[in-house]
Amino acid sequence: MAVYFIDVILPIPLRQAFTYHVNKDEAAFLKPGMRVAVPFGRSKVYTALVYQVHQSEPNSYETKSIDQILDESPIVPAVQWKHWEWIAEYYMCTFGEVMRAALPSAYLLESETIITLKKDVLLDESSLGDDEFLVFEALQHQSSLHINDIRNILDRKQVLGVIQKLIAKGAVDVQEELFEQYKPKLKRYLKLASKYAEEEALRQLLDEMTQAPKQRQVLMTLFVLAASEKHIESTYLQKKSESSAAILKVLIDKGVLEEYYLQEDRVQYRGEDPSEVKALSPAQDKAWKEINDHFREKDIVLLHGVTSSGKTEIYVSMIEALLETGKQVLYMLPEIALTTQLISRLQFYFGKKVAVYHSKYSNNERVEVWQQVLQQNPKAQIVIGARSSLFLPFRNLGLVIVDEEHEPSFKQYSPSPRYHGRDAAMVLAQLHGAKVLLGSATPSMESYYNAQEGKYGLVTLKERFGKVLMPEMELVDIREKLKRKRMTGHFSDRLLEEIEAALKEKEQVILFQNRRGFAPIVECTTCGVSPQCPNCDVSLTYHQHKDQLRCHYCGYHMPMLQACLACGSETLDNKGFGTEQIETELKELFPDHQIARMDQDTTKGKHAYAKLIEKMEHKEIDILVGTQMIAKGLDFREVSLVGVMNADNLLNFPDFRAHERSFQLLQQVAGRAGRTLKRGKVLIQSYDPNHQILQQVSTNNYEGMYQEQQEERYQFKYPPHYRLIKLTIKHRNYTTMDNASKWLAEVLRLALKENVLGPVSPPVGRIRNEFITNILVKIGKEQSLSKTKNYLLKAQQRFNAVKEFSRVGLTIDVDNY
């Protein structure tokens, strides 16, 4: 008799697939990409994905049977498997970690431990301990208990020992129950009962209802609505007939009305019919033709267009041309904030064909988008999303657009897989035979280098839409202004003059400060001590709106101090400033104007971004203060002035990309000004206005910055000339962490020689009570990337085998920049 087996991928960090046995019918039904519930470990049930069906029994362990099949057809197509395999291999993580990141968590069913009393149990209650007796007594009053119920009864977290003792004494049974997390949204509709379909029966019913005018009114309204609508929603009928839910219930109970339910999408487009795509300007049309010419020879094209050059209109034209072929489009953005503004623009042109996918959507909403993409539903022909959208199960992808491709937000830093959205999207497009269009006003060094080397096509668009001039740049020397006593708080006299002028003209102002909170440091002026986070090596940031000190690394917070903890003096002073302090100063300086703030603290809600953007578009906000969120491609028509409060903290950051990132961020912020007919103005405050990067920003000299940085990177062996892999070692004990990092660095140097840097502690050397150190591996073009990675994996296995380092955390981050 033939025996069948399936290999499955579990959503846990395991490097190999696990094998389970199935019967002949199950083997015939199951296909790769379908979900099954499988037992794993002592009493846990996991959702797993079928990888393959075969007849080879594993030698090293005895297989178990699966619990149940969860899908009728695969939810992950074959091409998506290949993409996941590439991510797992390239970014040196496990298939299970990719699966957990890719699937909406509603697809990963959770098992719950249920404890029940054994039937006909005869037990001497005196043999039970106190905790065991409490659980046993509770089960005599309830048919079953969830493991969390037992935790509540015993008022402690660790309860498995108590349960195991009860099992050993034959008192209870334990079972695992699977709970489906996804629930489709159902809407209730009403119709006239079928027995009143005949005219005679209906006339008799209406005659009987002369004594119940409100019920008769409901029926008359139903007849009117039925003439124009196929399905009549219960709440709509109630509203139109001016009745109540109680009256509808009476009619249902009498059998006059029948209720039925239909499944409805949670996210729907309820706007007007799509409009025609705008005609492109001559400069845009030239760029559009050049892109299509490049696509005949190359799969990837970089569109280098200055801010407000109308790149989005070019994307729209590209999408329109592709939709006629019936293929799918993925439009990736770095920030959820950008999606809110872009959704309305794309829906204006494409209506119901646009779907949205990002982390602020609920589990159920994400499952529905997943299903629409999988089924190639016209509702999801265009998908807009942040980096996680590239995991969707596309079947017929034709075009991938990566807007603001230079943004660091495309990189996933934690947890694993630590992938880069732009690079992973390129591989996804290659697997589908699709084209990739990268767009940015300030391309990343890697993309621009690849374009210069001929790997990508390059199209430049140097003209703003409507031939609007680039904003006028002015550098303000804060050092000089302080000497001359021309600073009001953190505002120079020049910045205040320009703000007043803009407000007088009924124009809007954006102010940029890349630090949230009120003040990054609170310091005692008597003894110099500042409050530190007990879990991290960092000072606490003061947040005025909550009157508390908060750590931005671990979330620890405490009430604002009234006196110094060290010397007891009440001489506490704020050092530095964040967005909150700027907002406070502005409210004092401009009390008659509307001032708002856009940072992580003010945009936590699902629709918080959209509300702020809407207010800005409707001119309900005069001055918007924000962190880097405001720099990312947002389009506000009435902004004439942008102020950068302090450019120095961007430039003086310990990172090889500090200058490139500063240039990109300042150029992007500047690009928010003067996007319509009138030329905008940008003021950048700095203690060092002669800094090379600030000079290049003020003259929009991207090529100059690129050449300078490229030469430096070549000299010091950094990307795009070398690849980087960062290894991070963490442990609560500093000595153990230090020994582990030195041991690992020595092992790596045996093969990789001088290309291993470190171990070195990062600027913040302890986070969440774990000491941290980094090792950097550089890989030149003449070096084999796959051989280096294989050596790293072997070193990791050896590292994990050392008993002393068994609890030391080791993470590998490929392309960590």
Side-chain angles (χ1 to χ4, degrees), residues 769-794:
N769 278 322
E770 286 190 312
F771 292 97
I772 305 167
T773 193
N774 296 324
I775 297 170
L776 201 62
V777 176
K778 293 183 177 180
I779 303 164
K781 286 180 181 172
E782 72 289 343
Q783 245 175 300
S784 166
L785 183 64
S786 57
K787 283 180 182 175
T788 306
K789 284 181 178 175
N790 286 335
Y791 184 76
L792 284 174
L793 286 172
K794 284 176 187 170

Side-chain angles (χ1 to χ4, degrees), residues 200-400:
E200 186 60 40
L202 186 58
R203 189 181 292 117
Q204 193 180 336
L205 172 68
L206 290 171
D207 289 344
E208 288 170 8
M209 286 207 165
T210 50
Q211 301 298 314
K214 288 191 175 177
Q215 292 177 26
R216 186 186 168 91
Q217 177 62 30
V218 171
L219 280 183
M220 298 311 287
T221 309
L222 182 74
F223 298 149
V224 173
L225 294 173
S228 60
E229 297 191 35
K230 190 178 177 184
H231 301 290
I232 299 157
E233 202 184 325
S234 59
T235 51
Y236 186 56
L237 177 62
Q238 183 184 318
K239 185 184 174 184
K240 284 287 181 185
S241 61
E242 296 177 353
S243 62
S244 64
I247 293 168
L248 295 183
K249 189 176 184 302
V250 169
L251 287 168
I252 293 164
D253 293 343
K254 279 184 180 179
V256 175
L257 295 180
E258 288 177 358
E259 61 181 346
Y260 62 101
Y261 291 86
L262 294 177
Q263 189 174 331
E264 186 187 57
D265 291 342
R266 283 177 166 82
V267 182
Q268 289 184 322
Y269 173 66
R270 293 186 172 86
E272 298 168 8
D273 291 335
S275 301
E276 278 192 24
V277 172
K278 282 183 195 171
L280 299 176
S281 71
Q284 288 173 325
D285 190 53
K286 182 173 176 277
W288 185 79
K289 284 172 181 167
E290 283 179 23
I291 291 165
N292 284 309
D293 290 343
H294 279 301
F295 274 154
R296 291 191 185 98
E297 297 171 15
K298 294 184 170 70
D299 291 331
I300 303 167
V301 174
L302 172 64
L303 174 59
H304 180 200
V306 296
T307 54
S308 195
S309 57
K311 294 187 287 294
T312 307
E313 301 306 328
I314 295 173
Y315 302 153
V316 166
S317 295
M318 298 294 299
I319 292 167
E320 186 190 33
L322 191 98
L323 289 183
E324 291 169 11
T325 66
K327 292 193 172 184
Q328 295 167 308
V329 178
L330 172 60
Y331 193 137
M332 284 177 65
L333 291 155
E335 283 278 352
I336 294 164
L338 284 184
T339 60
T340 51
Q341 203 173 30
L342 192 78
I343 292 159
S344 55
R345 284 175 77 175
L346 286 192
Q347 283 177 339
F348 180 74
Y349 297 126
F350 305 114
K352 292 180 179 178
K353 292 181 178 180
V354 180
V356 186
Y357 191 85
H358 56 60
S359 59
K360 285 276 171 90
Y361 267 30
S362 70
N363 276 329
N364 289 331
E365 286 167 343
R366 281 195 267 177
V367 167
E368 284 174 9
V369 176
W370 185 282
Q371 289 291 352
Q372 286 171 358
V373 174
L374 184 66
Q375 292 155 13
Q376 296 185 64
N377 191 315
K379 287 180 186 173
Q381 206 177 343
I382 305 165
V383 176
I384 306 177
R387 60 174 182 260
S388 57
S389 58
L390 64 85
F391 289 117
L392 285 165
F394 296 99
R395 287 183 181 274
N396 191 18
L397 191 62
L399 176 66
V400 177

Side-chain angles (χ1 to χ4, degrees), residues 1 15 24 170 174 240 359 417 479 485 517 576 626 658 673 676 728 740 771 781 794 798-799:
M1 184 182 162
R15 291 219 170 262
K24 188 180 177 182
V174 173
K240 284 287 181 185
S359 59
R479 197 191 304 270
K485 299 201 163 99
T676 45
T728 303
F771 292 97
K781 286 180 181 172
K794 284 176 187 170
R798 285 176 63 189
F799 180 85

Side-chain angles (χ1 to χ4, degrees), residues 531-719:
Q532 300 288 308
C533 174
N535 310 315
C536 313
D537 283 348
V538 70
S539 58
L540 296 172
T541 301
Y542 175 44
H543 286 251
Q544 192 182 46
H545 73 291
K546 288 187 177 176
D547 197 35
Q548 61 179 213
L549 295 166
R550 182 174 282 271
C551 173
H552 289 176
Y553 286 87
C554 70
Y556 171 84
H557 55 88
M558 63 185 281
M560 176 58 183
L561 302 173
Q562 299 304 312
C564 174
L565 290 171
C567 69
S569 303
E570 293 183 11
T571 53
L572 295 175
D573 189 24
N574 300 324
K575 300 283 181 188
F577 61 101
T579 49
E580 211 180 338
Q581 192 167 340
I582 298 300
E583 184 190 25
T584 306
E585 287 182 16
L586 282 169
K587 283 176 178 173
E588 289 172 9
L589 292 165
F590 304 100
D592 301 329
H593 293 276
Q594 290 300 311
I595 290 143
R597 178 162 53 94
M598 186 191 260
D599 57 26
Q600 204 177 320
D601 297 326
T602 61
T603 53
K604 284 182 176 166
K606 181 177 176 179
H607 301 294
Y609 288 114
K611 285 175 185 170
L612 266 172
I613 288 166
E614 199 177 308
K615 279 185 177 180
M616 196 72 182
E617 285 173 340
H618 293 158
K619 293 193 73 175
E620 291 171 32
I621 296 169
D622 297 315
I623 305 174
L624 180 65
V625 186
T627 55
Q628 58 186 358
M629 283 180 189
I630 59 171
K632 299 181 181 181
L634 293 170
D635 184 19
F636 300 125
R637 297 273 146 196
E638 300 297 326
V639 173
S640 65
L641 174 68
V642 166
V644 177
M645 299 306 298
N646 189 340
D648 302 322
N649 57 358
L650 297 172
L651 297 165
N652 304 322
F653 197 74
D655 179 22
F656 78 94
R657 300 195 77 152
H659 286 181
E660 179 197 353
R661 291 257 164 91
S662 302
F663 182 92
Q664 288 166 342
L665 202 46
L666 292 170
Q667 274 281 296
Q668 291 289 340
V669 174
R672 301 315 105 212
R675 295 175 73 90
T676 45
L677 298 172
K678 188 180 171 185
R679 189 184 187 189
K681 184 142 195 177
V682 180
L683 266 77
I684 299 173
Q685 297 189 154
S686 169
Y687 283 95
D688 184 13
N690 295 318
H691 193 288
Q692 184 69 13
I693 288 292
L694 295 182
Q695 292 296 324
Q696 287 163 348
V697 168
S698 66
T699 55
N700 299 306
N701 186 7
Y702 176 83
E703 277 76 16
M705 183 278 296
Y706 169 77
Q707 288 300 336
E708 195 178 282
Q709 290 300 307
Q710 212 240 108
E711 285 165 21
E712 274 188 25
R713 304 249 183 118
Y714 181 77
Q715 199 175 343
F716 294 104
K717 299 182 180 180
Y718 279 101

